[in-house]
């Protein structure tokens, strides 16, 4: 559930930092894709984002 602090933070990012609301709200965490092997990293990244392509 979204709280008032998150709404205020989002508004600040849009107004003061000129960020696009789509950039802010997409909210995809990629930390679990980290890997020292670039090929493995790319595979993890692709696997994670493929189901979201219809959103983008």
């Amino acid at each position: 559930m979204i709280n008032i602090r998150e709404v205020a933070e989002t508004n600040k990012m849009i107004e003061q930092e000129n960020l696009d609301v789509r950039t802010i709200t997409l909210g995809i965490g990629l930390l679990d894709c980290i890997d020292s092997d670039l090929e493995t990293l790319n595979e993890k990244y692709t696997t994670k984002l493929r189901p979201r392509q219809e959103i983008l």
Side-chain angles (χ1 to χ4, degrees):
M1 178 167 223
I2 298 174
N3 64 44
I4 192 69
R5 193 175 103 226
E6 291 172 337
V7 172
E9 185 177 324
T10 300
N11 285 338
K12 177 187 169 216
M13 287 188 280
I14 292 169
E15 292 174 1
Q16 295 179 358
E17 300 175 26
N18 298 315
L19 294 178
D20 187 308
V21 71
R22 294 169 293 181
T23 304
I24 298 165
T25 58
L26 192 54
I28 299 173
L30 298 174
L31 288 176
D32 57 331
C33 295
I34 295 173
D35 199 284
S36 59
D37 179 55
L38 184 58
E39 189 171 320
T40 303
L41 181 139
N42 285 333
E43 183 178 316
K44 289 179 179 180
Y45 175 80
T46 302
T47 301
K48 184 164 193 161
L49 292 181
R50 188 171 287 132
R52 294 170 171 81
Q53 285 179 339
E54 59 204 38
I55 296 170
L56 302 173

